[in-house]
Amino acid sequence: MSNPRNEGSFSPFSLSQNVLDDPQAADAYARLLQEVFDFVPRRAPVPDPHWHVLALFEPQGACVAGIEIAKLGLVLDGEERVAMAMRLAGVAPSHRGRGLFRTLMDHALAACAQRAAAAPILLYTEDEALYTRFGFAPLVQHAFVGLALSPTPSAAARPVSRAEAIELIDRHAPSRAPVSLQCAVRGGTDLLRANVEESDPRLAFLDAVDALVIYEREEAEIVIVDIVAAVIPTMATIIGALAPDARRVRTLFPPDRLAWDATPVPDDTGLMIRGEVPPAMRRPFMLPPTTGF
């Protein structure tokens, strides 16, 4: 196996920021992810244009540490903004205790600054202490809970398969409206497609309003995870089509576009931020899990 492009030397390791451009390096990186996380994200047939992998390799070509970064478009209080995102930071168990994680994070932070200077950096983790030393702080997200509105009479929602949902997501991509004007991921089609492919949500299409609703049902409660549409329908329309018998509704995003009153409830999702917290994220908010990273 040829070594990936060497962009820095940390004897005996080399750093590459072009892992996905080299099939052999990408395979070695995938083996690292499988070992550390027991998970390998699905990739497009061509190198992913959004996620950039920084990784450390041994001279023989084995990948011993890696992290992914991406520029993330957001809508915050109705304005388009940019943040950076990090995910899948890990070191092979056989190489821990050598300072490789710090080396990796230092280079990842520098790469984020090059791509979007002064932009906040977001990541999800189950180990907050690991990242506080790099300047990250917890950012509490909130679900939104309220009574189900009297449903607006409408045709019943049509269940769709995962494959149909992907087609609908792609069709709506050019004109998709942000699910919230307070706080939402802008665009995010690739993240949405990947999360729908890798999870098992309920999927329904509301023909009358040309909207795909991603949701869960828990007895008398319906959980609205995300909505894909050019115009976001009201909660009364959604309830009328999906669950006229629902008593309570929970949304996993701010409901400012749903014409529905709800109470924010803290939900510890493990989100952390480095940099200035935008005003829209100082108020109760949540980024839909479907656009999570």
Side-chain angles (χ1 to χ4, degrees), residues 140-152:
V140 177
Q141 297 197 90
H142 293 73
F144 297 83
V145 178
L147 297 175
L149 297 175
S150 298
T152 297

PDB file of all heavy atoms in Angstrom, residues 140-152:
ATOM      1  N   VAL A 140     -26.742  23.022  25.632  1.00  0.00           N
ATOM      2  CA  VAL A 140     -27.953  22.240  25.894  1.00  0.00           C
ATOM      3  C   VAL A 140     -28.979  22.479  24.793  1.00  0.00           C
ATOM      4  O   VAL A 140     -29.291  23.625  24.445  1.00  0.00           O
ATOM      5  CB  VAL A 140     -28.555  22.608  27.261  1.00  0.00           C
ATOM      6  CG1 VAL A 140     -29.858  21.841  27.497  1.00  0.00           C
ATOM      7  CG2 VAL A 140     -27.559  22.297  28.376  1.00  0.00           C
ATOM      8  N   GLN A 141     -29.504  21.392  24.251  1.00  0.00           N
ATOM      9  CA  GLN A 141     -30.588  21.484  23.287  1.00  0.00           C
ATOM     10  C   GLN A 141     -31.918  21.173  23.983  1.00  0.00           C
ATOM     11  O   GLN A 141     -31.941  20.623  25.082  1.00  0.00           O
ATOM     12  CB  GLN A 141     -30.358  20.522  22.125  1.00  0.00           C
ATOM     13  CG  GLN A 141     -29.096  20.837  21.323  1.00  0.00           C
ATOM     14  CD  GLN A 141     -29.091  20.174  19.967  1.00  0.00           C
ATOM     15  OE1 GLN A 141     -29.564  20.745  18.996  1.00  0.00           O
ATOM     16  NE2 GLN A 141     -28.547  18.974  19.890  1.00  0.00           N
ATOM     17  N   HIS A 142     -33.006  21.533  23.317  1.00  0.00           N
ATOM     18  CA  HIS A 142     -34.341  21.343  23.885  1.00  0.00           C
ATOM     19  C   HIS A 142     -35.270  20.711  22.858  1.00  0.00           C
ATOM     20  O   HIS A 142     -35.270  21.105  21.683  1.00  0.00           O
ATOM     21  CB  HIS A 142     -34.958  22.680  24.308  1.00  0.00           C
ATOM     22  CG  HIS A 142     -34.268  23.335  25.465  1.00  0.00           C
ATOM     23  ND1 HIS A 142     -33.026  23.932  25.354  1.00  0.00           N
ATOM     24  CD2 HIS A 142     -34.658  23.486  26.762  1.00  0.00           C
ATOM     25  CE1 HIS A 142     -32.682  24.429  26.531  1.00  0.00           C
ATOM     26  NE2 HIS A 142     -33.646  24.176  27.397  1.00  0.00           N
ATOM     27  N   ALA A 143     -36.054  19.751  23.307  1.00  0.00           N
ATOM     28  CA  ALA A 143     -37.218  19.324  22.541  1.00  0.00           C
ATOM     29  C   ALA A 143     -38.362  20.273  22.894  1.00  0.00           C
ATOM     30  O   ALA A 143     -38.285  21.024  23.875  1.00  0.00           O
ATOM     31  CB  ALA A 143     -37.579  17.887  22.885  1.00  0.00           C
ATOM     32  N   PHE A 144     -39.425  20.242  22.101  1.00  0.00           N
ATOM     33  CA  PHE A 144     -40.557  21.144  22.319  1.00  0.00           C
ATOM     34  C   PHE A 144     -41.826  20.308  22.411  1.00  0.00           C
ATOM     35  O   PHE A 144     -42.135  19.538  21.492  1.00  0.00           O
ATOM     36  CB  PHE A 144     -40.642  22.165  21.186  1.00  0.00           C
ATOM     37  CG  PHE A 144     -39.425  23.052  21.117  1.00  0.00           C
ATOM     38  CD1 PHE A 144     -38.277  22.623  20.466  1.00  0.00           C
ATOM     39  CD2 PHE A 144     -39.412  24.286  21.738  1.00  0.00           C
ATOM     40  CE1 PHE A 144     -37.139  23.419  20.416  1.00  0.00           C
ATOM     41  CE2 PHE A 144     -38.277  25.090  21.705  1.00  0.00           C
ATOM     42  CZ  PHE A 144     -37.139  24.653  21.040  1.00  0.00           C
ATOM     43  N   VAL A 145     -42.550  20.464  23.533  1.00  0.00           N
ATOM     44  CA  VAL A 145     -43.682  19.595  23.833  1.00  0.00           C
ATOM     45  C   VAL A 145     -44.941  20.434  24.020  1.00  0.00           C
ATOM     46  O   VAL A 145     -44.912  21.490  24.672  1.00  0.00           O
ATOM     47  CB  VAL A 145     -43.410  18.769  25.109  1.00  0.00           C
ATOM     48  CG1 VAL A 145     -44.611  17.891  25.440  1.00  0.00           C
ATOM     49  CG2 VAL A 145     -42.152  17.924  24.935  1.00  0.00           C
ATOM     50  N   GLY A 146     -46.042  19.964  23.442  1.00  0.00           N
ATOM     51  CA  GLY A 146     -47.310  20.663  23.603  1.00  0.00           C
ATOM     52  C   GLY A 146     -48.475  19.755  23.276  1.00  0.00           C
ATOM     53  O   GLY A 146     -48.300  18.620  22.816  1.00  0.00           O
ATOM     54  N   LEU A 147     -49.675  20.259  23.507  1.00  0.00           N
ATOM     55  CA  LEU A 147     -50.880  19.504  23.196  1.00  0.00           C
ATOM     56  C   LEU A 147     -51.096  19.465  21.689  1.00  0.00           C
ATOM     57  O   LEU A 147     -50.737  20.400  20.968  1.00  0.00           O
ATOM     58  CB  LEU A 147     -52.095  20.138  23.879  1.00  0.00           C
ATOM     59  CG  LEU A 147     -52.080  20.145  25.412  1.00  0.00           C
ATOM     60  CD1 LEU A 147     -53.292  20.905  25.940  1.00  0.00           C
ATOM     61  CD2 LEU A 147     -52.050  18.729  25.955  1.00  0.00           C
ATOM     62  N   ALA A 148     -51.674  18.377  21.237  1.00  0.00           N
ATOM     63  CA  ALA A 148     -52.014  18.272  19.822  1.00  0.00           C
ATOM     64  C   ALA A 148     -53.153  19.237  19.509  1.00  0.00           C
ATOM     65  O   ALA A 148     -54.130  19.330  20.254  1.00  0.00           O
ATOM     66  CB  ALA A 148     -52.416  16.843  19.483  1.00  0.00           C
ATOM     67  N   LEU A 149     -53.024  19.970  18.424  1.00  0.00           N
ATOM     68  CA  LEU A 149     -54.075  20.892  18.014  1.00  0.00           C
ATOM     69  C   LEU A 149     -55.243  20.129  17.405  1.00  0.00           C
ATOM     70  O   LEU A 149     -55.104  18.985  16.959  1.00  0.00           O
ATOM     71  CB  LEU A 149     -53.522  21.872  16.979  1.00  0.00           C
ATOM     72  CG  LEU A 149     -52.400  22.805  17.442  1.00  0.00           C
ATOM     73  CD1 LEU A 149     -51.896  23.624  16.261  1.00  0.00           C
ATOM     74  CD2 LEU A 149     -52.888  23.724  18.548  1.00  0.00           C
ATOM     75  N   SER A 150     -56.395  20.777  17.373  1.00  0.00           N
ATOM     76  CA  SER A 150     -57.515  20.191  16.642  1.00  0.00           C
ATOM     77  C   SER A 150     -57.087  20.026  15.193  1.00  0.00           C
ATOM     78  O   SER A 150     -56.648  20.993  14.554  1.00  0.00           O
ATOM     79  CB  SER A 150     -58.744  21.099  16.720  1.00  0.00           C
ATOM     80  OG  SER A 150     -59.161  21.241  18.062  1.00  0.00           O
ATOM     81  N   PRO A 151     -57.172  18.826  14.673  1.00  0.00           N
ATOM     82  CA  PRO A 151     -56.621  18.588  13.336  1.00  0.00           C
ATOM     83  C   PRO A 151     -57.395  19.304  12.243  1.00  0.00           C
ATOM     84  O   PRO A 151     -58.620  19.419  12.290  1.00  0.00           O
ATOM     85  CB  PRO A 151     -56.727  17.068  13.183  1.00  0.00           C
ATOM     86  CG  PRO A 151     -57.818  16.661  14.112  1.00  0.00           C
ATOM     87  CD  PRO A 151     -57.747  17.606  15.267  1.00  0.00           C
ATOM     88  N   THR A 152     -56.664  19.803  11.263  1.00  0.00           N
ATOM     89  CA  THR A 152     -57.278  20.339  10.059  1.00  0.00           C
ATOM     90  C   THR A 152     -57.651  19.168   9.162  1.00  0.00           C
ATOM     91  O   THR A 152     -56.793  18.336   8.845  1.00  0.00           O
ATOM     92  CB  THR A 152     -56.292  21.258   9.315  1.00  0.00           C
ATOM     93  OG1 THR A 152     -55.985  22.370  10.151  1.00  0.00           O
ATOM     94  CG2 THR A 152     -56.884  21.745   8.006  1.00  0.00           C
TER      95      THR A 152
END
